[in-house]
Amino acid sequence: MLISVLFFSLMNVLAKLLMDRFPVTEVMFFRSLFALIPVCLAIHFGMGFATTLRTRYPWGHLGRSLIGLSSMAAMFWSFHLLPLGDAISLNFAAPLFLTALSVPLLSEKVGIHRWSAVLVGFVGVLIIVRPSGDVLNLGALIALFGALTNALAMIAIRQLSRTELANTIVFYFTLLTTVLLGLTLPFSWITPAPLDLLMLLATGLCGGCGQLMLTRAYSLAPAALVAPLNYTSLLLAVGFGWLLWGEVPTATMAAGAAVVMASGLYILHRETRRGTTLTKPLPAGEGD
């Protein structure tokens, strides 16, 4: 899980650097295209393509891919508009949205403890965005939309996981997003220089390897053990933001992030006691 966090953190940094020169759709296209390399290697050395690519729910994969594509676009765009630490902090609201949405979409029963954690978590979100001032801007709204679609992606993955292999879901998501994003290239293409192409390649490889590590982590240990390690991505985001862009986190961001993370961890604790693993978080900018 820690290796996964490192890969995704490097992917986020590369995406933020690249979006200073390239449109978000082009960065996302190369992220998906080159992520196919580690994903296909994992399938080849795993159960093989004949078994992995077999699916009974092609439309389910398409719907899940559209949701994941929306989540990735929102989070990558928020990286461009916000300090990296702020964007990652707001993405941690995804388990809060997920718990709330599980009632109407999955017919889950959510008790007073988890509802209380959701409410406290959204107070933390308000602390981060400070809606009484001028910080509730486009970037914050897009980051929260990314967290919402991240939660919807987790619900779609949970439904598909009842019959589909994990690598099947990852492969079709990566393939379909590559095709869909490829259709946008004629409208916004900027030819990358050799160094930019290497950075785009690294973005995709980091995303693909990070997803494989994430999947492997959940296959080796309970969610209650590995999921909290995802929050270490905030430390890396703040560190990279400070080193590369001089972004110094504010006290209110740190306080709000602490409240949101504590709420997410408490929800995970309650679900673990109930024997569910609903809030396994997806990494920021993924939707995988």
Side-chain angles (χ1 to χ4, degrees):
M1 186 63 176
L2 289 174
I3 296 173
S4 170
V5 167
L6 177 60
F7 273 127
F8 282 125
S9 297
L10 291 172
M11 180 196 74
N12 295 339
V13 168
L14 288 167
K16 185 175 176 67
L17 288 169
L18 287 163
M19 282 188 293
D20 287 337
R21 302 183 297 280
F22 297 95
V24 62
T25 51
E26 187 171 344
V27 175
M28 290 168 57
F29 168 77
F30 282 107
R31 179 259 175 266
S32 296
L33 175 66
F34 291 127
L36 282 170
I37 297 173
V39 170
C40 288
L41 286 174
I43 293 172
H44 174 71
F45 290 108
M47 301 184 68
F49 286 93
T51 300
T52 303
L53 301 190
R54 189 181 302 120
T55 179
R56 292 184 293 168
Y57 300 101
W59 293 110
H61 286 286
L62 178 60
R64 175 264 177 282
S65 297
L66 291 173
I67 296 170
L69 185 61
S70 300
S71 178
M72 189 193 303
M75 291 313 303
F76 273 25
W77 194 8
S78 72
F79 296 157
H80 180 62
L81 298 173
L82 292 174
L84 195 58
D86 289 32
I88 297 297
S89 297
L90 291 172
N91 186 70
F92 288 152
L96 310 179
F97 284 118
L98 179 58
T99 301
L101 291 170
S102 67
V103 177
L105 297 183
L106 294 175
S107 300
E108 296 274 343
K109 292 183 179 180
V110 176
I112 185 64
H113 292 278
R114 285 188 291 162
W115 275 124
S116 299
V118 169
L119 293 175
V120 171
F122 281 120
V123 170
V125 171
L126 292 176
I127 294 173
I128 296 172
V129 302
R130 301 194 298 280
S132 60
D134 60 356
V135 181
L136 187 57
N137 54 24
L138 179 62
L141 292 173
I142 290 173
L144 287 174
F145 177 76
L148 173 61
T149 49
N150 192 328
L152 291 171
M154 284 187 270
I155 289 175
I157 290 171
R158 177 171 179 178
Q159 292 172 327
L160 282 171
S161 296
R162 294 169 181 168
T163 58
E164 305 288 284
L165 298 171
N167 280 346
T168 304
I169 298 173
V170 173
F171 174 80
Y172 281 115
F173 168 77
T174 309
L175 177 66
L176 289 171
T177 52
T178 301
V179 173
L180 292 172
L181 289 165
L183 297 176
T184 71
L185 293 182
F187 305 99
S188 59
W189 174 259
I190 295 177
T191 302
L195 179 59
D196 292 327
L197 189 59
L198 285 175
M199 292 175 64
L200 290 164
L201 170 63
T203 302
L205 292 177
C206 284
C209 291
Q211 182 59 46
L212 294 174
M213 293 296 103
L214 182 75
T215 303
R216 184 61 176 159
Y218 282 117
S219 71
L220 292 173
L225 178 63
V226 297
L229 297 176
N230 188 51
Y231 290 112
T232 59
S233 61
L234 179 59
L235 299 177
L236 290 175
V238 170
F240 282 127
W242 176 65
L243 287 172
L244 297 176
W245 295 281
E247 299 168 351
V248 180
T250 63
T252 51
M253 188 282 282
V259 173
V260 172
M261 287 190 291
S263 300
L265 289 171
Y266 184 72
I267 290 172
L268 181 65
H269 167 70
R270 295 295 301 184
E271 290 181 355
T272 301
R273 290 186 59 183
R274 295 176 63 251
T276 64
T277 55
L278 181 61
T279 58
K280 291 194 291 189
L282 297 181
E286 262 313 278
D288 281 7

